[in-house]
């Protein structure tokens, strides 16, 4: 049987009488090498005292809230028999290179070079390394055990303003359960997060009383700044739409891997057709804009590329393929951005879409849209063509997987093989969810859109 080993508090710096805030094992427990036994907490750091080797805890000499200092015995370990055997066989394993015939076969000087050295001895004067090593061998048990250094986390290595206040053992426990500790309220001393706090949080999420965290990036809070010290300020409350849309846009931006593909559509003929029929449309009570042709082109593209007319299910492992074509249109209102949905766009003519677009846009600006008119979209279009710009990255309106952004058309010289011709080019920007759509598919989708808009055969009311 291997000789029992006293596990002592290693070098913890200048701290004394450090409180024991967690006892992670009991007498009789079997432990692995480097498994944490107790957790200490000083004013500046949290430290775990690990086991130097595998074995059984035969005696535990500290309790919760005790105070300890460097060198105090916290537990007595009976090393595993295998550990002793491994120590006796050092230098004879399969992985050891063969010794030359004239080398010593196993004297004390040789074996000392292979034994792990005491961590504290290593911290002393480097010029006396050999002497320190010898002293460590003399004081260490014959089993070749080592005293592991404490595992430290604290203000000296992390930013306490961002790191939840919890011991490494609790962090490990939280990771196993998939819990974000920044969302857990600690009930321990100085608001420390305890095991019971993590367990209570998991139960609250399972019961629905606490919202589960959405997958995505952990975003640091914005800095708190007193802007009045730089000059005169005025405080304005966000509108209800601003408050709602800001949360939704932030969620969509950080949880969806966005990529934006840009292309140009030659809309010279489309614009000529629109102008030629503008008066006729006005007589029938609607305004003929490029947007209605974009809606029809989008429906055609969704039919050609059905993956763009889909949504990820809640588990993120299946696509819900939609057989309907409801298009959301971003509308700029005095209170903020809203996206009413035009339903069954595949079954409506450009004239019908134009009339409906006038109606929903007016309701959006007056704040009279019904909840149904804001739901069920498959794909959204955000057009800034009436304002300006050359391109932008629209944010996907989850649970949709793509969105089309349209910037202002402009005349540019285009080479037709013989000469440069002035052509009206419309910038198209398609943002897509890279979990669902590949770059090549996005390029084909956007090019299909452009070619559909360029085809005069699709110009009808």
């Amino acid at each position: 049987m291997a000789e029992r080993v006293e596990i002592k508090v290693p070098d913890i710096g200048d701290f004394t009488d450090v409180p024991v805030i967690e006892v992670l094992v009991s007498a009789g427990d079997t432990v692995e090498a480097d498994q944490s036994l107790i957790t200490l907490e000083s004013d500046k750091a949290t430290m775990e005292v690990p086991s130097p080797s595998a074995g059984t805890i035969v005696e535990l000499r500290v309790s919760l809230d005790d105070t300890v200092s460097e060198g105090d015995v916290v537990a007595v370990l009976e090393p595993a028999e295998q550990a002793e055997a491994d120590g006796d066989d050092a230098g004879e394993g399969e992985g050891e290179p063969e010794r030359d015939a004239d080398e010593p076969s196993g004297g004390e000087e040789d074996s000392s070079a292979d034994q792990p050295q005491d961590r504290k001895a290593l911290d002393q004067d480097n010029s006396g390394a050999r002497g320190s090593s010898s002293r460590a061998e003399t004081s260490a048990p014959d089993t070749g055990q080592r005293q592991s250094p404490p595992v430290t986390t604290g203000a000296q290595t992390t930013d306490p303003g961002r790191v939840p206040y919890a011991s490494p053992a609790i962090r490990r426990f939280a990771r196993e359960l998939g819990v974000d500790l920044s969302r857990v309220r600690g009930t321990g001393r100085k608001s420390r997060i305890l095991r019971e706090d993590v367990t209570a949080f998991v139960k609250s999420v399972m019961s629905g009383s606490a919202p589960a965290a959405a997958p995505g990036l952990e975003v640091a809070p914005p800095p708190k700044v007193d802007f009045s010290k730089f000059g005169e300020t005025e405080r304005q409350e966000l509108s209800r739409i601003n408050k709602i849309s800001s949360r939704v846009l932030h969620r969509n931006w950080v949880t969806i891997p966005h990529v934006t593909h840009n292309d140009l559509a030659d809309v010279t003929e489309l614009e000529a057709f629109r102008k030629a029929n503008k008066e006729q449309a006005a007589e029938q009570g609607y305004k003929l804009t490029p947007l209605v042709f974009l809606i029809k082109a989008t429906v055609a593209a969704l039919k050609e590329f059905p993956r763009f007319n889909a949504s990820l299910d809640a588990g993120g492992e299946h696509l819900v393929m939609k057989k309907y074509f409801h298009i959301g249109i971003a509308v700029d209102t005095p209170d903020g951005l809203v996206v009413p949905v035009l339903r069954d766009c595949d079954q409506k003519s450009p004239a019908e879409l134009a009339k409906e677009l006038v109606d929903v846009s007016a309701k959006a600006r007056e704040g009279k849209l019904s909840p149904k008119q804001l739901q069920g979209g498959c794909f959204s279009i955000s057009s800034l063509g009436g304002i300006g710009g050359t391109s932008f990255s629209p944010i996907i309106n989850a649970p949709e997987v793509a969105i089309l952004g349209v910037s202002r058309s402009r005349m540019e010289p285009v080479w037709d093989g013989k000469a440069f011709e002035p052509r009206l080019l419309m910038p198209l920007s398609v943002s897509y969810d890279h979990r669902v759509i590949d770059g090549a598919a996005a390029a084909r989708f956007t090019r299909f859109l452009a070619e559909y808009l360029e085809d005069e055969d699709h110009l009808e009311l």
Side-chain angles (χ1 to χ4, degrees), residues 343-412:
R343 298 178 179 277
D344 301 315
C345 294
D346 58 321
Q347 302 172 23
K348 298 173 182 175
S349 67
E352 291 173 323
L353 289 172
K355 293 175 182 178
E356 187 176 354
L357 189 58
V358 170
D359 179 60
V360 298
S361 297
K363 288 183 177 179
R365 294 185 180 96
E366 296 168 3
K368 296 181 179 180
L369 289 171
S370 65
K372 184 178 179 180
Q373 290 177 302
L374 296 168
Q375 299 173 351
C378 303
F379 186 98
S380 295
I381 300 175
S382 178
S383 177
L384 300 178
I387 302 174
T390 56
S391 67
F392 65 102
S393 294
I395 298 177
I396 298 168
N397 188 19
E400 299 167 14
V401 295
I403 182 173
L404 170 63
V406 184
S407 299
R408 189 170 191 168
S409 302
R410 65 181 183 274
M411 280 289 184
E412 291 190 10

Side-chain angles (χ1 to χ4, degrees), residues 302 305-311 319 321 401 435-438 441:
L302 293 177
F305 301 90
R307 203 174 182 90
F308 285 74
N309 192 24
S311 291
L319 277 180
M321 310 300 293
V401 295
R435 297 172 300 178
V436 178
I437 299 166
D438 294 331

Side-chain angles (χ1 to χ4, degrees), residues 256-298:
I256 299 173
H258 281 65
V259 181
T260 302
H261 183 83
N262 299 297
D263 206 337
L264 294 170
D266 186 338
V267 293
T268 308
E269 280 74 27
L270 186 154
E271 181 61 13
F273 177 85
R274 188 189 70 83
K275 287 183 176 179
N277 292 274
K278 184 170 57 174
E279 291 184 5
Q280 177 186 343
E283 291 174 359
Q284 298 180 14
Y286 65 90
K287 186 177 180 180
L288 189 60
T289 67
L291 186 54
V292 295
F293 299 102
L294 283 163
I295 294 172
K296 295 302 292 186
T298 297

